[in-house]
Amino acid sequence: MRPFTFERATTPAAAAEAVAHFPDAKFIAGGTNLLDLMKLQIETPAHVVDVNPLGLDRIEPTSDGGLRIGALVRNTDLAADARVRHDYAVLSRALLAGASGQLRNKATTAGNLLQRTRCPYFYDTNQACNKRQPGSGCSAIGGYSRQLAIVGTSPACIATHPSDMAVAMRVLDASVETVRPDGRTRVIPIADFHKLPEETPQVEHALEHGELITAVTLPKPLGGVHLYRKVRDRSSYAFALVSVAAVIQKGGHGRVALGGVAPRPWRDETAESQLSNGSKAVIDRLLGDAHPTNENAFKVPLAQRTLAAVVAQARA
Amino acid sequence: MLESDNGSHLPITRRGLLLASASSAAVMASGPSDAATGADSTAPSHAEVPRGSVTLTINGQSHTLELDTRTTLLDALREHLHLTGTKKGCDHGQCGACTVIVDGRRINSCLTLALMHPGAEVTTIEGLGQPGHLHPLQAAFVKHDGYQCGYCTPGQICSAVGMLDEVRTGIPSHVTADLMAKPLLSIDELRERMSGNICRCGAYSNIVEAITEVNGASA
């Protein structure tokens, strides 16, 4: 780990200002991803601002019947919250499908959204990676790509976003609340939060340097059957090959997003309108622009079959 | 000294020898330019490194530590307080050997900085029980032979203590069929909830028996 100076935040705006002040400063919340990357010198902040003293750990009702989740609510507490289990079960299910008990006790809501890819070429500092070292190339293309993305990719990057939680947040149309270094706040719809790689895979989200997430809000409950199905190489504590988050209503219509296949949670509202025509019709539209490698082409039929299983489970 | 409890009267302890070999290996392995950047946050450095102070309660005893900011909670416990019961396995949150209980919750002590825990109450394997007055889970691991080499055992036991508490407080898991019902600790539930602790010797079936027995006794 590179040496860094350390500061405990006092207010959200002061924390944002403290990070904005240094070009290579970082917030630390749960630390479960950042410290892993700092040990490998993939992340090398010179200044670290600990946001844990800020609180931001409450889950409160909003005036329009939804929920406001503090940025520092731990994954365990969010998954176990009675309102989330009852009204947003797809979110509980997605959180519980991710990581381990120990990690969920520490990992935060905001940190989960900001976690970095687990692409093996991003993690190996001897390999070219446009995300880690812009302009160095992408060793994953033509490399070991079984786990990697099939859609939303670019000639510069084929990494996936690893989060389960974010896939459920996308299906629920969550919003990300932030404070900027000058104290102004804004709300970013989850659909606009994660960026596609295009020519700049190092730009992963819509936040400015120093902009701090303070909360994630959920609109009022959708009803319906909430399901999250994750297919992976072992039955626990592994990242998704493919995952499906779904909220299916009586009559068979609903919402669907995929994880494990793209640089961000993958949802297309026009694809969902095909739900009554079967899972193949949905996947044909959702993954119509897919460019899989030979090693991960299996993800297309796997996504279709996983969605078919989810739809059948919703009907049962 | 914990090391003196093993009855050894050799002038050099096993730990002292290991520390001596580790530091000479570090000197050989690191050139002058990367001495300050190695993974070992306690490595000697010619440059002035940033430091910070934190007061934590470990196993009921308050400690104030002055640390290199990079020091993980795990390294603070092992290298500064010499509580070597907590093990360093992968040092990346993948194996669970470093699991300790902080403010009632099990966490990976390798993936958190000591400075992030002012005022925290930390319980390690040493704080759960000692020879002569073992924690029920420590006794059950002995009875059921829930280990072979024993390296993952402190993490397994701290994790199991935290896990049983999570079940008692109604926290669901990936395999909980009904999210709104009170979870019960079936074998499937136990295996899922303990998946963050790897046992390379493969003592899993005996670990399951040990935890199941203690859960049955306290249910």
Side-chain angles (χ1 to χ4, degrees):
Chain A
M1 227 187 288
R2 295 281 174 85
F4 55 83
T5 47
F6 181 87
E7 168 179 359
R8 294 187 179 105
T10 50
T11 67
E17 204 187 348
V19 166
H21 192 66
F22 296 95
D24 50 2
K26 285 265 177 194
F27 300 113
I28 194 164
T32 55
N33 187 218
L34 182 61
L35 284 167
D36 181 25
L37 294 169
M38 284 167 66
K39 288 180 184 191
L40 296 165
Q41 298 191 16
I42 294 166
E43 296 273 14
T44 53
H47 186 62
V48 170
V49 178
D50 180 6
V51 295
N52 287 292
L54 298 179
L56 302 177
D57 57 354
R58 292 169 63 185
I59 305 174
E60 300 163 317
T62 61
S63 54
D64 58 356
L67 278 186
R68 186 169 186 275
I69 303 155
L72 295 174
V73 172
R74 309 289 152 170
N75 287 181
T76 296
D77 297 314
L78 183 55
D81 183 271
R83 294 160 293 187
V84 176
R85 281 193 270 167
H86 188 267
D87 295 330
Y88 306 96
V90 66
L91 179 56
S92 279
R93 289 289 184 199
L95 284 159
L96 295 170
S100 67
Q102 289 97 315
L103 290 168
R104 290 192 297 271
N105 280 343
K106 205 84 188 92
T108 64
T109 306
N112 190 310
L113 289 177
L114 293 173
Q115 67 180 301
R116 312 291 307 271
T117 185
R118 297 322 195 272
C119 174
Y121 299 96
F122 174 71
Y123 261 75
D124 182 349
T125 52
N126 295 307
Q127 301 280 349
C129 172
N130 287 321
K131 218 182 237 313
R132 177 166 36 73
Q133 201 179 344
S136 62
C138 173
S139 293
I141 295 172
Y144 179 74
S145 57
R146 183 171 176 275
Q147 289 274 351
L148 303 179
I150 57 173
V151 71
T153 56
S154 78
C157 184
I158 59 169
T160 56
H161 193 271
S163 172
D164 293 294
M165 184 198 82
V167 186
M169 292 290 195
R170 178 69 180 93
V171 120
L172 293 168
D173 275 335
S175 300
V176 180
E177 294 183 2
T178 71
V179 61
R180 285 185 275 195
D182 62 5
R184 286 179 304 147
T185 60
R186 66 168 170 159
V187 178
I188 307 168
I190 190 80
D192 302 331
F193 186 78
H194 293 107
K195 299 292 179 194
L196 293 181
E198 297 174 351
E199 297 302 306
T200 53
Q202 73 276 18
V203 180
E204 296 175 355
H205 50 72
L207 300 180
E208 296 168 11
H209 180 63
E211 189 169 5
L212 177 73
I213 299 176
T214 51
V216 176
T217 55
L218 301 176
K220 67 179 194 303
L222 295 167
V225 179
H226 288 230
L227 296 165
Y228 188 78
R229 185 139 176 169
K230 182 175 182 181
V231 183
R232 45 186 161 171
D233 282 336
R234 58 184 187 194
S235 61
S236 184
Y237 199 14
F239 290 97
L241 289 167
V242 163
S243 70
V244 172
V247 178
I248 308 288
Q249 304 292 344
K250 264 189 198 135
H253 62 287
R255 299 181 182 187
V256 173
L258 300 180
V261 297
R264 67 182 185 202
W266 201 248
R267 181 178 171 206
D268 173 352
E269 284 78 348
T270 66
E272 290 165 3
S273 65
Q274 298 296 312
L275 264 170
S276 54
N277 297 322
S279 60
K280 185 172 184 310
V282 176
I283 295 297
D284 280 350
R285 190 160 298 190
L286 202 48
L287 298 182
D289 294 329
H291 293 286
T293 66
N294 287 338
E295 285 190 0
N296 66 20
F298 73 93
K299 287 191 176 190
V300 176
L302 183 61
Q304 188 197 317
R305 288 167 194 167
T306 308
L307 177 60
V310 164
V311 169
Q313 194 181 341
R315 232 184 262 133
Chain B
M1 283 293 290
L2 290 163
E3 287 73 25
S4 64
D5 294 342
N6 62 11
S8 161
H9 300 292
L10 290 171
I12 295 177
T13 62
R14 189 175 69 100
R15 178 168 171 75
L17 187 64
L18 287 172
L19 281 174
S21 346
S23 47
S24 54
V27 167
M28 291 195 305
S30 57
S33 62
D34 58 335
T37 62
D40 181 1
S41 55
T42 59
S45 162
H46 50 78
E48 197 57 42
V49 294
R51 302 178 76 81
S53 157
V54 66
T55 301
L56 326 95
T57 302
I58 319 256
N59 301 328
Q61 216 181 324
S62 178
H63 297 270
T64 298
L65 298 170
E66 191 72 24
L67 298 168
D68 181 326
T69 56
R70 295 172 291 181
T71 312
T72 60
L73 179 59
L74 173 62
D75 286 342
L77 292 170
R78 287 183 56 86
E79 309 299 333
H80 295 265
L81 297 167
H82 307 298
L83 291 166
T84 52
T86 306
K87 300 302 185 218
K88 182 179 282 195
C90 68
D91 208 24
H92 287 275
Q94 296 171 6
C95 77
C98 69
T99 304
V100 298
I101 301 162
V102 177
D103 295 330
R105 287 280 178 93
R106 55 174 172 160
I107 66 166
N108 300 111
S109 61
C110 74
L111 284 186
T112 194
L113 298 171
L115 292 182
M116 289 162 65
H117 296 278
E121 303 259 353
V122 180
T123 303
T124 69
I125 192 72
E126 292 93 341
L128 283 179
Q130 288 283 332
H133 50 100
L134 295 179
H135 184 279
L137 270 161
Q138 289 172 316
F141 268 65
V142 173
K143 177 182 166 190
H144 290 278
D145 209 10
Y147 47 80
Q148 187 174 312
C149 80
Y151 197 79
C152 72
T153 312
Q156 296 276 1
I157 292 175
C158 286
S159 184
V161 169
M163 183 275 290
L164 291 177
D165 198 48
E166 288 164 16
V167 173
R168 270 193 293 275
T169 55
I171 292 170
S173 87
H174 175 60
V175 299
T176 307
D178 179 358
L179 279 182
M180 298 312 291
K182 187 174 166 45
L184 296 169
L185 196 65
S186 65
I187 301 295
D188 281 351
E189 282 277 3
L190 194 160
R191 287 182 176 275
E192 162 61 25
R193 290 170 186 269
M194 290 295 292
S195 71
N197 291 83
I198 310 295
C199 170
R200 199 173 172 183
C201 301
Y204 294 112
S205 58
N206 296 359
I207 292 170
V208 169
E209 281 175 19
I211 299 172
T212 302
E213 178 177 283
V214 173
N215 180 57
S218 65

